[in-house]
Amino acid sequence: WQRLWALAMAKGSALVTVGLAVGAAWYLRNVAFPGKFGAKEEAMSSEEILARYDNYYSGATDWDTAQQPAHDEHNNAAAAERYFTLITDFFEYGWGDAFHMAPLRPDWSFKRSMAYWEQNFVLTAGIQRDMKVADLGMGIGGPMRRVVEFTGANMTGVTICQHQVNRANQITSELPPYIQDRTEYLVGDYNDLPSSMKPSSYDAAYFMESLSHSEDRAIPLAQAAKIVKPGGIVAGWQWMLKPAFDYDNPRHMDLKRGMEYGGGLRNLNKPDARHEEYKRAGLEVLQSYDMGTDAIERGHLGWWKALTTGVDLPSRLTSSHWGRKLTMGTVKILETIGVAEPGTLRTALMLEHCGFSAATAGELGIFTPAWVTIARVPTNKNDKEHQKRIDGLQATIDLALKAKK
């Protein structure tokens, strides 16, 4: 019976692998990377976008601490646009509709754990029914749609990536009217929010793992403070270097750079430096803590488990270390035979660079993607005076979308 059991398990594993490969092939051919079988929405090919993206992180793929990403005159906005045009479909395939990491409860599925910590964050930020809330850096809108479902708030999402807005609208069109009526998706640069988002017109705003895509966080934070009413909340769920990170440790610096290149990030810093950015934006920090450590103390697993071993079958086959290896192997074959367009494998390798670096840094206790900061807009905010603050901050950068237009 043991031989029969082993044979059955081997056959089952083979079927799962074949099924995953077939599913990945269909997804890459028909949804994510049509290649020669269909025209991409973007004007450039993946290889062209990658070449331009790599220019923002010169030398970042080499393990050499002599090269760190240089200052970016667009506050990393142009790089972020190219990054998300490249990786959005990969993320949705391997991660779902929420492009963030979260602690994991051992007896829950990956998706249930993600949704639980989204709700925890929303409750901490004080979001309630009928509030008008902005999600700045929304991805394809998965978390904000669950905020609507959980709280009944009215959500406006902003992303610099047109492809993400297209995908969000496509997903939402198949959801109940309750969700459709309470969601709005805008293409915009959170360094200079769309003019339709008027000063002091929102009850709250948040950044869910989007804030660290900017080099100087004070600029998008000041934009959030602009649109939120006096006394309202601006909340951040952020990638953050923890106090134990050592800037003089070459290994630490290599991992930092790997996360920044593979994650489309810039200038990861520590809590004290981040608090100064909130202050420069005109915000008052009320709470600031590592939600990942908080979760472990409650009995949850570290967030990095999704990147190492996974917690359920879907995460083991897609986001875990071996799941990502399987995906890269499949992509390599599909690109070789012409199903996936050129550049698809390089995109997968770029994401692997980030996944490895983030998981290793998490295990070392020097990094977290789940640092929560709750800040308040001053009750005496004056919109005209705040605009002067914004003008001073924006004078230090070139606005990517305006330059593009």
Side-chain angles (χ1 to χ4, degrees), residues 13 25 29-30 41 59 89-91 142 145 151 219 234 243 246 259 319 352:
S13 299
R29 174 172 174 171
N30 295 285
E41 295 172 349
D89 298 310
F90 264 107
F91 264 34
R145 288 188 289 273
T151 69
I219 299 171
V234 174
D246 182 1
M259 289 185 286
S319 64
E352 173 60 19

Side-chain angles (χ1 to χ4, degrees), residues 378-398:
T379 56
N380 62 348
K381 181 187 76 166
N382 179 288
D383 287 334
K384 290 185 178 179
E385 291 300 316
H386 188 73
Q387 185 60 49
K388 293 179 182 177
R389 182 192 299 271
I390 288 173
D391 291 342
L393 290 168
Q394 288 185 339
T396 65
I397 64 168
D398 288 333

Side-chain angles (χ1 to χ4, degrees), residues 32-325:
F33 296 98
K36 65 185 182 183
F37 294 97
K40 285 176 66 67
E41 295 172 349
E42 299 77 24
M44 294 183 288
S45 69
S46 288
E47 285 190 316
E48 291 172 321
I49 298 172
L50 269 167
R52 295 194 180 195
Y53 176 76
D54 283 351
N55 287 335
Y56 292 99
Y57 296 88
S58 179
T61 55
D62 301 322
W63 295 105
D64 176 11
T65 54
Q67 291 197 46
Q68 292 291 322
H71 168 68
D72 180 67
E73 62 183 8
H74 299 299
N75 205 29
N76 209 47
E81 180 186 17
R82 294 187 174 103
Y83 176 79
F84 282 110
T85 299
L86 283 167
I87 63 85
T88 289
D89 298 310
F90 264 107
F91 264 34
E92 187 178 357
Y93 167 73
W95 214 256
D97 64 3
F99 298 174
H100 66 79
M101 289 185 269
L104 305 168
R105 182 165 159 168
D107 55 340
W108 286 356
S109 70
F110 173 75
K111 287 188 175 181
R112 184 177 178 186
S113 289
M114 295 276 279
Y116 172 83
W117 287 105
E118 290 170 0
Q119 293 177 3
N120 180 285
F121 176 69
V122 165
L123 291 172
T124 305
I127 296 173
Q128 300 177 22
R129 185 180 183 85
D130 294 328
M131 288 178 67
K132 187 178 179 182
V133 182
D135 181 332
L136 304 180
M138 68 170 204
I140 59 173
M144 64 176 274
R145 288 188 289 273
R146 282 185 287 279
V147 172
V148 171
E149 183 179 0
F150 180 59
T151 69
N154 298 292
M155 299 294 305
T156 300
V158 178
T159 173
I160 201 169
C161 178
Q162 178 67 57
H163 177 57
Q164 291 188 330
V165 168
N166 295 346
R167 183 66 183 129
N169 282 322
Q170 181 183 14
I171 294 170
T172 306
S173 68
E174 301 174 359
L175 298 177
Y178 185 91
I179 308 295
Q180 295 182 27
D181 295 343
R182 289 167 173 80
T183 52
E184 177 186 22
Y185 308 117
L186 302 176
V187 176
D189 181 354
Y190 66 13
N191 294 292
D192 187 38
L193 288 172
S195 59
S196 60
M197 304 179 79
K198 303 298 183 183
S200 299
S201 61
Y202 286 78
D203 298 296
Y206 65 77
F207 302 83
M208 189 175 290
E209 284 199 21
S210 58
L211 195 53
S212 291
H213 291 291
S214 57
E215 182 177 340
D216 180 2
R217 267 69 58 168
I219 299 171
L221 285 168
Q223 288 288 304
K226 172 184 175 179
I227 65 171
V228 173
K229 299 172 183 176
I233 293 297
V234 174
W237 171 337
Q238 308 148 100
W239 285 49
M240 188 84 76
L241 302 180
K242 296 178 72 170
F245 184 92
D246 182 1
Y247 287 100
D248 293 324
N249 185 317
R251 179 62 167 162
H252 290 192
M253 292 299 286
D254 271 347
L255 295 172
K256 170 181 176 290
R257 191 178 43 159
M259 289 185 286
E260 289 173 343
Y261 170 70
L265 309 169
R266 208 77 173 191
N267 186 34
L268 286 174
N269 58 7
K270 294 186 180 184
D272 288 347
R274 190 69 55 91
H275 295 163
E276 284 298 313
E277 291 172 321
Y278 277 82
K279 183 178 179 180
R280 288 170 49 228
L283 293 164
E284 176 191 359
V285 173
L286 303 177
Q287 297 183 58
S288 192
Y289 63 96
D290 180 11
M291 187 167 65
T293 299
D294 188 55
I296 291 173
E297 291 173 352
R298 300 184 191 194
H300 290 235
L301 300 173
W303 53 266
W304 56 85
K305 289 293 183 181
L307 295 168
T308 54
T309 61
V311 291
D312 56 10
L313 184 59
S315 62
R316 290 188 177 104
L317 289 175
T318 55
S319 64
S320 72
H321 173 76
W322 291 110
R324 297 194 308 275
K325 292 292 186 185

